[in-house]
Amino acid sequence: HWSDTAEQTRFLKNYYIADVSVGNVSSVIDGEKLLSMDVSLERISEEPQILVYHTHGTEAYIDSKKGVEADTVVGMGDILCEELTKRGFSVLHDRATYDYVNGKDNRNYAYTTARPQIETLLEEYPSIEVILDIHRDSGAARKTTIDGKDTAQIMLFNGLCRNADGPISYLPNPYLDDTLAFSLQLNLLGKERYPGLMYKLYLKNYRYNMHFTGHCMLVELGTQNNTVEEAQNGVRYLAELLHE
């Protein structure tokens, strides 16, 4: 019960990692509310319903071959799109590398660069309801074994549009609760279906272009120290969880 402070503390500790930048998140994360929200969708196939893209499209893995796009997160996006299409979804894949523009590193401005393109795609395809930004994290490898296969763990990431002092007024997100519900429910489903696959949910301060629909999700598919094969295995399980 969310009115029980001890339960609230236990829940946040067990399921979330809150960056120091967001301060106390107990007033933002209401577990009972998020679990009661309906985040399901009716599948359509006539027009794109799902957009897959990559704010940091050059991100790769420990054994990625230089210049081989299939070994980057864009390649993981290709697999995700293929798997979702097999399950009857209509998917659009934006394969641009917003962190590398005109031959130059653009990582620090990648979210800003990506935003107008996402807006253009939503105008062109108003049928899009789900937006998935596929990344890989930094740090030590995160992996588990599922069905005998080494598999990259999945960490779902939410921007709270707030800092330690409270909401950031210039970063509104009318879909904040929806995106929090979407990630939490997917995380819990993953824990149930594939124990070990899901890492804790990560909360940070800014918006990260998660304000376009109620079904925006930022996915960290392993880290730079996972292998390409581990990431490929992980993204296939992600497709199955999204479908379910």
Side-chain angles (χ1 to χ4, degrees):
H1 295 288
W2 206 244
S3 57
D4 184 326
T5 303
E7 284 292 319
Q8 188 181 122
T9 301
R10 258 194 306 275
F11 175 80
L12 292 171
K13 181 179 179 180
N14 287 338
Y15 293 103
Y16 288 94
I17 300 171
D19 189 87
V20 66
S21 63
V22 299
N24 186 350
V25 299
S26 60
S27 62
V28 182
I29 307 295
D30 183 332
E32 282 187 300
K33 177 181 179 181
L34 298 180
L35 291 175
S36 69
M37 295 173 68
D38 182 4
V39 298
S40 62
L41 289 176
E42 180 181 351
R43 181 167 35 224
I44 61 173
S45 57
E46 295 78 13
E47 297 290 338
Q49 186 175 26
I50 301 172
L51 169 64
V52 175
Y53 80 107
H54 312 274
T55 302
H56 297 147
T58 66
E59 290 178 335
Y61 296 91
I62 193 167
D63 59 346
S64 294
K65 296 178 286 295
K66 187 174 181 179
V68 178
E69 195 173 53
D71 289 357
T72 69
V73 292
V74 175
M76 302 308 139
D78 286 335
I79 295 173
L80 180 60
C81 292
E82 179 183 352
E83 294 293 324
L84 290 172
T85 300
K86 285 180 185 176
R87 291 163 172 80
F89 294 99
S90 181
V91 188
L92 180 67
H93 190 191
D94 177 10
R95 307 174 84 256
T97 53
Y98 295 107
D99 58 341
Y100 192 76
V101 178
N102 297 325
K104 296 181 180 179
D105 177 76
N106 190 56
R107 187 176 180 87
N108 290 339
Y109 304 98
Y111 287 97
T112 301
T113 303
R115 189 176 309 127
Q117 179 60 20
I118 299 169
E119 292 170 343
T120 297
L121 290 171
L122 290 175
E123 289 176 9
E124 186 174 354
Y125 302 101
S127 55
I128 291 172
E129 298 180 74
V130 180
I131 303 178
L132 306 172
D133 186 8
I134 310 301
H135 296 243
R136 65 101 178 105
D137 205 0
S138 58
R142 299 189 194 123
K143 65 180 178 179
T144 188
T145 302
I146 301 175
D147 300 329
K149 298 179 290 189
D150 287 340
T151 302
Q153 289 182 303
I154 294 168
M155 183 177 81
L156 305 179
F157 178 111
N158 281 94
L160 294 185
C161 307
R162 67 177 286 118
N163 55 33
D165 296 322
I168 301 173
S169 60
Y170 62 88
L171 293 176
N173 184 356
Y175 299 109
L176 181 58
D177 281 345
D178 303 85
T179 57
L180 287 167
F182 191 27
S183 61
L184 175 60
Q185 292 187 32
L186 187 76
N187 180 275
L188 294 180
L189 179 65
K191 288 179 182 295
E192 177 186 350
R193 293 287 185 270
Y194 305 113
L197 177 65
M198 306 305 292
Y199 202 70
K200 286 185 179 183
L201 298 138
Y202 196 85
L203 304 173
K204 207 166 180 183
N205 52 343
Y206 295 130
R207 190 169 59 180
Y208 308 99
N209 288 336
M210 300 183 71
H211 62 294
F212 290 110
T213 78
H215 291 83
C216 286
M217 182 174 286
L218 196 159
V219 179
E220 300 280 7
L221 181 64
T223 78
Q224 88 270 22
N225 286 305
N226 283 97
T227 67
V228 170
E229 184 177 5
E230 289 164 357
Q232 291 170 338
N233 291 336
V235 80
R236 290 188 172 96
Y237 289 119
L238 174 63
E240 180 57 34
L241 293 172
L242 287 164
H243 169 233
E244 187 169 347

